[in-house]
Amino acid sequence: MLLSLPTTVSALRECLAQGAVPVGGATLVWATWQREGFPEQAVSLREVPEATVLGREELGAAVLLHQVDDRVPEVLRRAAGSVGTGAVRRAATVGGNLVGSTLRCLLPAALVLDARARVLGGEGTYETDLAELVAKRHLLLSLRWHAPLTSGYRKLPGDAGGPPPFVVATAVHADAEGGHLLRVAVRDGYEVIAESASHDAGAGAPEVLDALRRTPLGALPPTAWEAVRAQVTETLTDPALG
């Protein structure tokens, strides 16, 4: 297998046009390749600057999960830190987790950040939402978002060989009217649900939770809803909100 390491988006496009298969850490495809055969050509994004950004409001698809640190919001950092084992996090990439994995551990965190995806298509790069990214499995270059006021993440224990552990991600953003908007996203099994509720001055966690109860989140099993309740309460009482 010939692995190309382009250093520009245009060179990456040339590799793809020649039939190269994009790979990150190959943690999700290695077993398949060993069983069914390796592709003749593969291409990595790890030398493409647009895919290796890491900052307060952006994260590249080629960034390894163990590299996701406190430069990004807490919800995204904790989500990345909860994926697999240390060995997996040292090999797996952001793009592989979001686009290549059925678990999509980073998706709830990206949803509450209201992130947009920068992708590479046939006509060049463009920005799209996460729904299209996941549905069409685009080649992701990076995620971009507006930094939240505060955020959080909770993952319940899971059983080995069982369904994916339940996770809940939260983030509070300033809205156009000077108030606050709480975004909540959960992964329940393989399904991801995202909802939001206003958190205006004077409103406490019970009022916000009542509003969330009237969304599809209210149909969650008791244990899952308790995790949502605890995480929402913790997020809304963060001193960062004043």
Side-chain angles (χ1 to χ4, degrees), residues 99-134:
V99 182
S101 170
T102 57
L103 296 178
R104 298 189 177 96
C105 302
L106 300 186
L107 182 57
L111 284 169
V112 299
L113 292 175
D114 197 25
R116 300 282 292 175
R118 192 72 178 171
V119 302
L120 177 60
E123 302 301 319
T125 62
Y126 66 96
E127 194 173 274
T128 187
D129 59 30
L130 296 176
E132 180 178 316
L133 171 71
V134 171

mmCIF file of all heavy atoms in Angstrom, residues 99-134:
data_model
loop_
_atom_site.group_PDB
_atom_site.id
_atom_site.type_symbol
_atom_site.label_atom_id
_atom_site.label_comp_id
_atom_site.label_asym_id
_atom_site.label_seq_id
_atom_site.Cartn_x
_atom_site.Cartn_y
_atom_site.Cartn_z
ATOM 1 N N VAL A 99 -16.710 10.550 11.493
ATOM 2 C CA VAL A 99 -17.211 10.106 10.192
ATOM 3 C C VAL A 99 -17.099 8.597 10.009
ATOM 4 O O VAL A 99 -17.977 7.977 9.424
ATOM 5 C CB VAL A 99 -16.467 10.840 9.055
ATOM 6 C CG1 VAL A 99 -17.026 10.422 7.699
ATOM 7 C CG2 VAL A 99 -16.573 12.345 9.216
ATOM 8 N N GLY A 100 -16.036 8.015 10.520
ATOM 9 C CA GLY A 100 -15.813 6.595 10.275
ATOM 10 C C GLY A 100 -16.406 5.661 11.300
ATOM 11 O O GLY A 100 -16.651 4.492 11.009
ATOM 12 N N SER A 101 -16.664 6.146 12.513
ATOM 13 C CA SER A 101 -17.128 5.282 13.600
ATOM 14 C C SER A 101 -18.642 5.302 13.722
ATOM 15 O O SER A 101 -19.296 6.326 13.511
ATOM 16 C CB SER A 101 -16.519 5.767 14.921
ATOM 17 O OG SER A 101 -17.117 5.114 16.023
ATOM 18 N N THR A 102 -19.221 4.144 14.070
ATOM 19 C CA THR A 102 -20.656 4.101 14.346
ATOM 20 C C THR A 102 -20.962 4.648 15.738
ATOM 21 O O THR A 102 -22.099 5.025 16.013
ATOM 22 C CB THR A 102 -21.179 2.659 14.256
ATOM 23 O OG1 THR A 102 -20.439 1.834 15.172
ATOM 24 C CG2 THR A 102 -21.027 2.111 12.843
ATOM 25 N N LEU A 103 -19.963 4.701 16.612
ATOM 26 C CA LEU A 103 -20.170 5.217 17.968
ATOM 27 C C LEU A 103 -20.213 6.749 17.989
ATOM 28 O O LEU A 103 -20.969 7.336 18.737
ATOM 29 C CB LEU A 103 -19.061 4.724 18.897
ATOM 30 C CG LEU A 103 -18.999 3.218 19.128
ATOM 31 C CD1 LEU A 103 -17.820 2.885 20.034
ATOM 32 C CD2 LEU A 103 -20.288 2.708 19.725
ATOM 33 N N ARG A 104 -19.361 7.381 17.180
ATOM 34 C CA ARG A 104 -19.323 8.845 17.080
ATOM 35 C C ARG A 104 -19.305 9.500 18.461
ATOM 36 O O ARG A 104 -20.161 10.309 18.807
ATOM 37 C CB ARG A 104 -20.497 9.351 16.241
ATOM 38 C CG ARG A 104 -20.464 8.846 14.810
ATOM 39 C CD ARG A 104 -21.502 9.529 13.935
ATOM 40 N NE ARG A 104 -21.383 9.064 12.566
ATOM 41 C CZ ARG A 104 -22.130 8.075 12.044
ATOM 42 N NH1 ARG A 104 -23.042 7.500 12.785
ATOM 43 N NH2 ARG A 104 -21.963 7.697 10.797
ATOM 44 N N CYS A 105 -18.303 9.132 19.243
ATOM 45 C CA CYS A 105 -18.226 9.613 20.626
ATOM 46 C C CYS A 105 -18.137 11.136 20.707
ATOM 47 O O CYS A 105 -18.556 11.732 21.703
ATOM 48 C CB CYS A 105 -17.026 8.982 21.315
ATOM 49 S SG CYS A 105 -17.048 7.174 21.324
ATOM 50 N N LEU A 106 -17.577 11.781 19.685
ATOM 51 C CA LEU A 106 -17.416 13.225 19.711
ATOM 52 C C LEU A 106 -18.652 13.970 19.227
ATOM 53 O O LEU A 106 -18.736 15.196 19.390
ATOM 54 C CB LEU A 106 -16.224 13.642 18.847
ATOM 55 C CG LEU A 106 -14.851 13.082 19.214
ATOM 56 C CD1 LEU A 106 -13.787 13.716 18.333
ATOM 57 C CD2 LEU A 106 -14.536 13.309 20.679
ATOM 58 N N LEU A 107 -19.607 13.262 18.627
ATOM 59 C CA LEU A 107 -20.748 13.944 18.020
ATOM 60 C C LEU A 107 -21.593 14.727 19.026
ATOM 61 O O LEU A 107 -21.944 15.890 18.753
ATOM 62 C CB LEU A 107 -21.605 12.951 17.238
ATOM 63 C CG LEU A 107 -22.809 13.541 16.497
ATOM 64 C CD1 LEU A 107 -22.368 14.640 15.531
ATOM 65 C CD2 LEU A 107 -23.571 12.447 15.751
ATOM 66 N N PRO A 108 -21.981 14.162 20.182
ATOM 67 C CA PRO A 108 -22.761 14.973 21.126
ATOM 68 C C PRO A 108 -22.051 16.261 21.528
ATOM 69 O O PRO A 108 -22.682 17.323 21.623
ATOM 70 C CB PRO A 108 -22.961 14.032 22.319
ATOM 71 C CG PRO A 108 -22.888 12.659 21.728
ATOM 72 C CD PRO A 108 -21.839 12.772 20.663
ATOM 73 N N ALA A 109 -20.740 16.186 21.749
ATOM 74 C CA ALA A 109 -19.978 17.383 22.124
ATOM 75 C C ALA A 109 -19.979 18.399 20.990
ATOM 76 O O ALA A 109 -20.156 19.603 21.212
ATOM 77 C CB ALA A 109 -18.546 17.005 22.489
ATOM 78 N N ALA A 110 -19.794 17.937 19.767
ATOM 79 C CA ALA A 110 -19.797 18.855 18.626
ATOM 80 C C ALA A 110 -21.172 19.488 18.429
ATOM 81 O O ALA A 110 -21.284 20.655 18.057
ATOM 82 C CB ALA A 110 -19.368 18.110 17.368
ATOM 83 N N LEU A 111 -22.222 18.737 18.706
ATOM 84 C CA LEU A 111 -23.581 19.258 18.541
ATOM 85 C C LEU A 111 -23.886 20.375 19.535
ATOM 86 O O LEU A 111 -24.483 21.391 19.173
ATOM 87 C CB LEU A 111 -24.599 18.130 18.694
ATOM 88 C CG LEU A 111 -24.726 17.172 17.506
ATOM 89 C CD1 LEU A 111 -25.561 15.959 17.884
ATOM 90 C CD2 LEU A 111 -25.346 17.881 16.298
ATOM 91 N N VAL A 112 -23.498 20.199 20.787
ATOM 92 C CA VAL A 112 -23.804 21.252 21.767
ATOM 93 C C VAL A 112 -22.948 22.492 21.538
ATOM 94 O O VAL A 112 -23.310 23.583 21.975
ATOM 95 C CB VAL A 112 -23.670 20.763 23.234
ATOM 96 C CG1 VAL A 112 -24.639 19.617 23.502
ATOM 97 C CG2 VAL A 112 -22.250 20.377 23.572
ATOM 98 N N LEU A 113 -21.838 22.354 20.843
ATOM 99 C CA LEU A 113 -21.046 23.520 20.461
ATOM 100 C C LEU A 113 -21.619 24.196 19.226
ATOM 101 O O LEU A 113 -21.146 25.266 18.825
ATOM 102 C CB LEU A 113 -19.588 23.118 20.198
ATOM 103 C CG LEU A 113 -18.784 22.654 21.408
ATOM 104 C CD1 LEU A 113 -17.402 22.180 20.980
ATOM 105 C CD2 LEU A 113 -18.685 23.759 22.448
ATOM 106 N N ASP A 114 -22.637 23.565 18.620
ATOM 107 C CA ASP A 114 -23.223 24.054 17.367
ATOM 108 C C ASP A 114 -22.133 24.185 16.303
ATOM 109 O O ASP A 114 -22.067 25.170 15.548
ATOM 110 C CB ASP A 114 -23.921 25.402 17.584
ATOM 111 C CG ASP A 114 -24.880 25.755 16.451
ATOM 112 O OD1 ASP A 114 -25.361 24.823 15.775
ATOM 113 O OD2 ASP A 114 -25.140 26.951 16.243
ATOM 114 N N ALA A 115 -21.276 23.176 16.238
ATOM 115 C CA ALA A 115 -20.125 23.210 15.339
ATOM 116 C C ALA A 115 -20.543 23.061 13.883
ATOM 117 O O ALA A 115 -21.554 22.425 13.563
ATOM 118 C CB ALA A 115 -19.142 22.094 15.712
ATOM 119 N N ARG A 116 -19.753 23.649 13.016
ATOM 120 C CA ARG A 116 -19.892 23.493 11.581
ATOM 121 C C ARG A 116 -18.691 22.704 11.076
ATOM 122 O O ARG A 116 -17.596 22.768 11.637
ATOM 123 C CB ARG A 116 -19.939 24.849 10.898
ATOM 124 C CG ARG A 116 -21.091 25.729 11.336
ATOM 125 C CD ARG A 116 -22.387 25.320 10.674
ATOM 126 N NE ARG A 116 -22.352 25.587 9.238
ATOM 127 C CZ ARG A 116 -23.341 25.235 8.407
ATOM 128 N NH1 ARG A 116 -24.409 24.592 8.862
ATOM 129 N NH2 ARG A 116 -23.260 25.501 7.113
ATOM 130 N N ALA A 117 -18.907 21.959 10.010
ATOM 131 C CA ALA A 117 -17.852 21.114 9.458
ATOM 132 C C ALA A 117 -17.295 21.710 8.176
ATOM 133 O O ALA A 117 -18.052 22.092 7.278
ATOM 134 C CB ALA A 117 -18.406 19.718 9.178
ATOM 135 N N ARG A 118 -15.990 21.805 8.107
ATOM 136 C CA ARG A 118 -15.316 22.191 6.867
ATOM 137 C C ARG A 118 -14.925 20.904 6.161
ATOM 138 O O ARG A 118 -14.170 20.084 6.699
ATOM 139 C CB ARG A 118 -14.077 23.026 7.177
ATOM 140 C CG ARG A 118 -13.476 23.721 5.953
ATOM 141 C CD ARG A 118 -14.361 24.847 5.506
ATOM 142 N NE ARG A 118 -13.794 25.563 4.362
ATOM 143 C CZ ARG A 118 -14.446 26.483 3.678
ATOM 144 N NH1 ARG A 118 -15.685 26.806 4.039
ATOM 145 N NH2 ARG A 118 -13.886 27.104 2.659
ATOM 146 N N VAL A 119 -15.465 20.680 4.953
ATOM 147 C CA VAL A 119 -15.258 19.410 4.260
ATOM 148 C C VAL A 119 -14.662 19.650 2.886
ATOM 149 O O VAL A 119 -14.717 20.764 2.348
ATOM 150 C CB VAL A 119 -16.581 18.615 4.142
ATOM 151 C CG1 VAL A 119 -17.177 18.350 5.525
ATOM 152 C CG2 VAL A 119 -17.584 19.349 3.258
ATOM 153 N N LEU A 120 -14.134 18.580 2.321
ATOM 154 C CA LEU A 120 -13.566 18.626 0.974
ATOM 155 C C LEU A 120 -14.466 17.832 0.048
ATOM 156 O O LEU A 120 -14.670 16.632 0.237
ATOM 157 C CB LEU A 120 -12.152 18.048 0.966
ATOM 158 C CG LEU A 120 -11.459 17.971 -0.403
ATOM 159 C CD1 LEU A 120 -11.333 19.372 -1.016
ATOM 160 C CD2 LEU A 120 -10.083 17.327 -0.267
ATOM 161 N N GLY A 121 -15.022 18.511 -0.945
ATOM 162 C CA GLY A 121 -15.873 17.864 -1.936
ATOM 163 C C GLY A 121 -15.246 17.907 -3.310
ATOM 164 O O GLY A 121 -14.104 18.362 -3.491
ATOM 165 N N GLY A 122 -16.008 17.484 -4.303
ATOM 166 C CA GLY A 122 -15.488 17.442 -5.663
ATOM 167 C C GLY A 122 -15.141 18.801 -6.230
ATOM 168 O O GLY A 122 -14.263 18.934 -7.094
ATOM 169 N N GLU A 123 -15.838 19.841 -5.748
ATOM 170 C CA GLU A 123 -15.605 21.196 -6.255
ATOM 171 C C GLU A 123 -14.700 22.014 -5.340
ATOM 172 O O GLU A 123 -14.530 23.215 -5.555
ATOM 173 C CB GLU A 123 -16.952 21.916 -6.424
ATOM 174 C CG GLU A 123 -17.924 21.201 -7.359
ATOM 175 C CD GLU A 123 -17.354 21.025 -8.751
ATOM 176 O OE1 GLU A 123 -16.720 21.983 -9.251
ATOM 177 O OE2 GLU A 123 -17.533 19.938 -9.330
ATOM 178 N N GLY A 124 -14.166 21.403 -4.304
ATOM 179 C CA GLY A 124 -13.317 22.125 -3.373
ATOM 180 C C GLY A 124 -13.846 22.054 -1.952
ATOM 181 O O GLY A 124 -14.678 21.201 -1.629
ATOM 182 N N THR A 125 -13.399 22.955 -1.100
ATOM 183 C CA THR A 125 -13.808 22.944 0.297
ATOM 184 C C THR A 125 -15.057 23.794 0.501
ATOM 185 O O THR A 125 -15.266 24.791 -0.192
ATOM 186 C CB THR A 125 -12.691 23.477 1.205
ATOM 187 O OG1 THR A 125 -12.401 24.831 0.864
ATOM 188 C CG2 THR A 125 -11.431 22.635 1.065
ATOM 189 N N TYR A 126 -15.880 23.389 1.435
ATOM 190 C CA TYR A 126 -17.054 24.181 1.802
ATOM 191 C C TYR A 126 -17.482 23.792 3.209
ATOM 192 O O TYR A 126 -17.008 22.801 3.778
ATOM 193 C CB TYR A 126 -18.202 23.980 0.810
ATOM 194 C CG TYR A 126 -18.793 22.589 0.776
ATOM 195 C CD1 TYR A 126 -19.939 22.264 1.502
ATOM 196 C CD2 TYR A 126 -18.208 21.583 -0.002
ATOM 197 C CE1 TYR A 126 -20.480 21.001 1.456
ATOM 198 C CE2 TYR A 126 -18.743 20.312 -0.051
ATOM 199 C CZ TYR A 126 -19.882 20.021 0.681
ATOM 200 O OH TYR A 126 -20.409 18.755 0.641
ATOM 201 N N GLU A 127 -18.379 24.588 3.770
ATOM 202 C CA GLU A 127 -18.840 24.376 5.138
ATOM 203 C C GLU A 127 -20.240 23.784 5.134
ATOM 204 O O GLU A 127 -21.085 24.159 4.322
ATOM 205 C CB GLU A 127 -18.834 25.707 5.894
ATOM 206 C CG GLU A 127 -18.967 25.576 7.389
ATOM 207 C CD GLU A 127 -18.774 26.907 8.094
ATOM 208 O OE1 GLU A 127 -17.624 27.269 8.381
ATOM 209 O OE2 GLU A 127 -19.797 27.582 8.336
ATOM 210 N N THR A 128 -20.495 22.852 6.045
ATOM 211 C CA THR A 128 -21.809 22.242 6.150
ATOM 212 C C THR A 128 -22.110 21.936 7.613
ATOM 213 O O THR A 128 -21.260 22.134 8.487
ATOM 214 C CB THR A 128 -21.894 20.973 5.291
ATOM 215 O OG1 THR A 128 -23.232 20.484 5.283
ATOM 216 C CG2 THR A 128 -20.986 19.872 5.842
ATOM 217 N N ASP A 129 -23.325 21.441 7.865
ATOM 218 C CA ASP A 129 -23.680 21.120 9.246
ATOM 219 C C ASP A 129 -23.318 19.676 9.570
ATOM 220 O O ASP A 129 -22.945 18.879 8.685
ATOM 221 C CB ASP A 129 -25.163 21.400 9.512
ATOM 222 C CG ASP A 129 -26.095 20.614 8.593
ATOM 223 O OD1 ASP A 129 -25.744 19.495 8.167
ATOM 224 O OD2 ASP A 129 -27.185 21.135 8.288
ATOM 225 N N LEU A 130 -23.443 19.321 10.829
ATOM 226 C CA LEU A 130 -23.033 17.988 11.273
ATOM 227 C C LEU A 130 -23.959 16.900 10.751
ATOM 228 O O LEU A 130 -23.519 15.773 10.521
ATOM 229 C CB LEU A 130 -22.975 17.953 12.804
ATOM 230 C CG LEU A 130 -21.927 18.869 13.438
ATOM 231 C CD1 LEU A 130 -22.034 18.820 14.950
ATOM 232 C CD2 LEU A 130 -20.519 18.496 12.987
ATOM 233 N N ALA A 131 -25.236 17.231 10.555
ATOM 234 C CA ALA A 131 -26.173 16.235 10.035
ATOM 235 C C ALA A 131 -25.749 15.767 8.654
ATOM 236 O O ALA A 131 -25.753 14.565 8.354
ATOM 237 C CB ALA A 131 -27.582 16.812 10.001
ATOM 238 N N GLU A 132 -25.382 16.716 7.797
ATOM 239 C CA GLU A 132 -24.942 16.338 6.458
ATOM 240 C C GLU A 132 -23.609 15.606 6.502
ATOM 241 O O GLU A 132 -23.381 14.641 5.761
ATOM 242 C CB GLU A 132 -24.818 17.570 5.558
ATOM 243 C CG GLU A 132 -24.368 17.231 4.136
ATOM 244 C CD GLU A 132 -24.281 18.420 3.225
ATOM 245 O OE1 GLU A 132 -25.208 19.262 3.247
ATOM 246 O OE2 GLU A 132 -23.281 18.526 2.480
ATOM 247 N N LEU A 133 -22.715 16.061 7.370
ATOM 248 C CA LEU A 133 -21.414 15.396 7.506
ATOM 249 C C LEU A 133 -21.585 13.926 7.826
ATOM 250 O O LEU A 133 -20.968 13.053 7.194
ATOM 251 C CB LEU A 133 -20.605 16.072 8.616
ATOM 252 C CG LEU A 133 -19.310 15.371 9.020
ATOM 253 C CD1 LEU A 133 -18.273 15.497 7.923
ATOM 254 C CD2 LEU A 133 -18.778 15.929 10.339
ATOM 255 N N VAL A 134 -22.431 13.625 8.804
ATOM 256 C CA VAL A 134 -22.620 12.239 9.239
ATOM 257 C C VAL A 134 -23.384 11.431 8.192
ATOM 258 O O VAL A 134 -23.029 10.287 7.898
ATOM 259 C CB VAL A 134 -23.361 12.214 10.596
ATOM 260 C CG1 VAL A 134 -23.757 10.799 10.969
ATOM 261 C CG2 VAL A 134 -22.481 12.821 11.684
#
